[in-house]
Amino acid sequence: LQLHHSGRYRCGGMVGSWLSQSAPVTVTVHGVPLSWVSLSVQPSGGQVALGDRLGLSCAVATGTGPLSFSWHRERSGAPLGTGPSLELLHHTGDKDSGRYHCRASDGDSVVESPTLNVTVL
């Protein structure tokens, strides 16, 4: 089912020349709330060598969309990016160490992933 399938439905049929229809029923399709937002990192373990690339991915276990994502690091003001993944395109440096998390939103609610500690060695 999709959200646009909500509406009034009834069934009908013919037996010989006799037409019969049921009383209409209202069907309402509800969205599934967001839950279990997870965060993963490449390379695994959250440790990256100085100068290597860092990739983060955010996933939602349940929830109907459209979904939007934003990326955050502790004590940073503006989001680092949007979308279900974030790659630090520049080579990582000491300033990239910290605690990262993503936020997922379905337009009605916002759910944050657990925080992941990233260490640049």
Side-chain angles (χ1 to χ4, degrees), residues 94-105:
D94 292 333
K95 67 183 182 338
D96 295 314
S97 289
R99 297 173 60 83
Y100 289 78
H101 69 275
C102 69
R103 289 183 185 145
S105 174

Side-chain angles (χ1 to χ4, degrees), residues 51-116:
D52 285 350
R53 291 177 181 244
L54 176 68
L56 301 169
S57 292
C58 191
V60 175
T62 63
T64 51
L67 302 177
S68 62
F69 298 88
S70 62
W71 290 93
H72 306 270
R73 186 177 63 224
E74 66 180 339
R75 298 185 192 107
S76 66
L80 301 171
T82 58
S85 62
L86 174 71
E87 184 175 3
L88 299 181
L89 298 176
H90 63 284
H91 294 293
T92 56
D94 292 333
K95 67 183 182 338
D96 295 314
S97 289
R99 297 173 60 83
Y100 289 78
H101 69 275
C102 69
R103 289 183 185 145
S105 174
D106 61 4
D108 293 324
S109 61
V110 176
V111 178
E112 289 190 3
S113 72
T115 301
L116 177 69

Side-chain angles (χ1 to χ4, degrees), residues 39-48 54-56 116-119 121:
L39 177 61
S40 60
V41 63
Q42 284 295 326
S44 61
Q47 292 186 342
V48 61
L54 176 68
L56 301 169
L116 177 69
N117 192 38
V118 171
T119 304
L121 304 172

Side-chain angles (χ1 to χ4, degrees), residues 10-24:
R10 68 171 148 198
C11 64
M14 292 193 70
V15 177
S17 61
W18 185 60
L19 173 65
S20 179
Q21 291 187 343
S22 69

